[in-house]
């Protein structure tokens, strides 16, 4: 059964697009077929973050009934598929996101996961993104203001008949004054599925000449390892396997050194 999950936050700039791209690629690495949809039809930037610049046909054209969804489907890093939104303001004004749900449902059977990158706020296009999915993953910073906004999104999600499945805490610094993981979980009555540290590599990945998400550019950066864990949690798999994979990699490197140079004393 495909899982359609909207990534939403209420508050702007907390990392929805970053989470969509990196979590999507992390799920692809687990062997799932994943499609990312840029549901931020006004301020599209998912494709830029994926490092993909040329997408002549977009979600705008599909929502306007001027192109088929298949024509707006592109391949991104590591085989993740994505549907970009258009940059034209004129088309944006004409677009009606009420059709988003049916567009998404038409491609869902081709994938294990469809992740929708929602816009900020709680306006009509946000409601369309929440209503287009069966599940919603909330992104928040560990601050009261961000959590208050995400609570509104949680309540709205439930009113629209979708299921909030959990929270991703982003920009975590583990500093005094931050709301702890347990407190967030209690306040929102949801499990914390990801704890993504503040990591300058995330921002740097976006500033390279050739942009690529941090999980691709720096797979061992703290944020990348955290995205790998979050993908396991979202998929309902045991999280130890990230550590095991790393231990396995180190062991196999040691073994090859040993076979080359003999047993170290
Ligand atoms: N864990 C992190 N560590 C450091 N920088 C981060 C992290 N997560 C996101 N950022 C940076 O924060 C900025 C905002 O991230 P992003 O665009 O993903 O937020 P957003 O919620 O999608 O914003 P909007 O509401 O405008 O759509 C970007 O410059 C991104 O590189
Ligand atoms: Mg965004």
């Amino acid at each position: 059964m495909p899982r359609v999950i909207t990534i939403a936050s209420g508050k702007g700039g907390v990392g929805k697009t970053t989470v969509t791209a990196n979590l999507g690629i992390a799920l692809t690495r687990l062997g799932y077929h994943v499609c990312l949809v840029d549901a931020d039809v006004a301020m599209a930037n998912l494709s830029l973050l994926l490092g993909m610049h040329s997408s002549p046909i977009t979600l705008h054209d599909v929502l306007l009934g001027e192109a088929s969804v298949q024509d707006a489907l592109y391949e991104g890093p590591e085989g993740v598929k994505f549907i970009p939104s258009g940059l034209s303001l004129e088309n944006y004004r004409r677009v009606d996101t009420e059709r988003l749900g049916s567009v998404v449902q038409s491609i869902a059977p081709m994938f294990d996961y469809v992740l929708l990158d929602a816009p900020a706020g709680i306006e009509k296009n946000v409601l369309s993104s929440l209503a287009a999915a069966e599940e919603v993953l909330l992104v928040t910073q560990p601050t009261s203001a961000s959590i208050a906004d995400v609570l509104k999104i949680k309540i709205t999600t439930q009113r629209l008949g979708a299921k909030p499945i959990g929270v991703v805490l982003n920009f975590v610094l583990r500093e005094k004054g931050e709301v702890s993981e347990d407190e967030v979980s209690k306040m929102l009555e949801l499990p914390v599925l990801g704890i993504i540290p503040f990591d300058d590599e995330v921002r740097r990945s976006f500033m390279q000449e050739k942009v690529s998400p941090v999980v691709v550019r720096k797979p061992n950066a703290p944020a990348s390892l955290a995205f790998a864990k979050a993908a396991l949690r979202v998929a309902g798999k045991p999280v130890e396997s990230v550590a095991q994979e790393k231990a396995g990699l180190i062991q196999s490197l040691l073994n090859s050194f040993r076979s080359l140079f003999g047993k170290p004393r």
Side-chain angles (χ1 to χ4, degrees):
M1 270 291 282
R3 289 179 68 187
V4 179
I5 308 177
T6 293
I7 318 289
S9 69
K11 197 168 169 59
V14 301
K16 295 174 292 298
T17 308
T18 304
V19 170
T20 306
N22 288 288
L23 183 66
I25 294 169
L27 284 166
T28 305
R29 285 184 182 163
L30 294 178
Y32 295 111
H33 291 292
V34 181
C35 180
L36 312 177
V37 179
D38 192 348
D40 195 348
V41 292
M43 298 290 170
N45 53 23
L46 178 67
S47 41
L48 295 180
L49 210 144
L50 290 169
M52 314 299 291
H53 298 283
S54 169
S55 359
I57 297 173
T58 71
L59 184 62
H60 284 183
D61 304 301
V62 179
L63 292 173
L64 288 167
E66 292 169 1
S68 86
V69 65
Q70 301 290 343
D71 294 337
L73 205 53
Y74 298 85
E75 185 160 324
E78 304 196 13
V80 72
K81 301 286 191 300
F82 73 100
I83 299 181
S85 251
L87 300 172
S88 145
L89 267 180
E90 203 208 318
N91 275 350
Y92 158 65
R93 282 197 209 99
R94 293 165 55 218
V95 156
D96 183 0
T97 50
E98 256 170 49
R99 287 195 53 231
L100 184 62
S102 58
V103 167
V104 168
Q105 290 308 325
S106 72
I107 52 146
M110 295 163 58
F111 297 98
D112 300 306
Y113 286 90
V114 179
L115 305 185
L116 277 73
D117 178 21
I122 199 155
E123 308 310 326
K124 187 183 169 206
N125 292 337
V126 179
L127 302 188
S128 299
S129 331
L130 297 174
E134 284 93 34
E135 300 176 88
V136 173
L137 181 62
L138 302 167
V139 182
T140 182
Q141 292 183 7
T143 62
S144 319
S146 182
I147 296 165
D149 285 359
V150 97
L151 182 59
K152 289 182 200 145
I153 297 292
K154 183 200 163 188
I155 294 166
T156 311
T157 298
Q158 287 166 323
R159 286 195 186 144
L160 289 167
K163 183 180 178 222
I165 54 164
V167 189
V168 172
L169 276 176
N170 190 27
F171 285 102
V172 173
L173 285 160
R174 302 220 182 268
E175 278 179 354
K176 217 173 145 206
E178 279 186 356
V179 186
S180 73
E181 177 194 343
D182 284 352
E183 284 168 324
V184 173
S185 183
K186 270 189 209 136
M187 284 158 94
L188 296 172
E189 296 178 324
L190 287 172
V192 173
L193 299 179
I195 301 177
I196 316 297
F198 174 90
D199 184 343
D200 220 21
E201 291 299 348
V202 176
R203 189 184 54 85
R204 276 197 208 118
S205 296
F206 197 55
M207 295 180 55
Q208 301 298 305
E209 204 175 315
K210 166 88 183 82
V211 174
S212 56
V214 69
V215 292
V216 175
R217 198 179 70 88
K218 292 271 169 164
N220 285 321
S224 301
L225 297 175
F227 278 119
K229 276 192 195 170
L232 287 167
R233 289 219 181 90
V234 167
K237 291 185 177 247
V239 170
E240 295 76 64
S241 42
V242 172
Q244 277 163 11
E245 262 168 39
K246 282 206 88 187
L249 186 70
I250 291 166
Q251 193 55 50
S252 68
L253 277 172
L254 277 175
N255 290 345
S256 34
F257 279 133
R258 278 186 191 130
S259 62
L260 277 174
F261 304 113
K263 214 173 174 182
R265 269 185 268 164

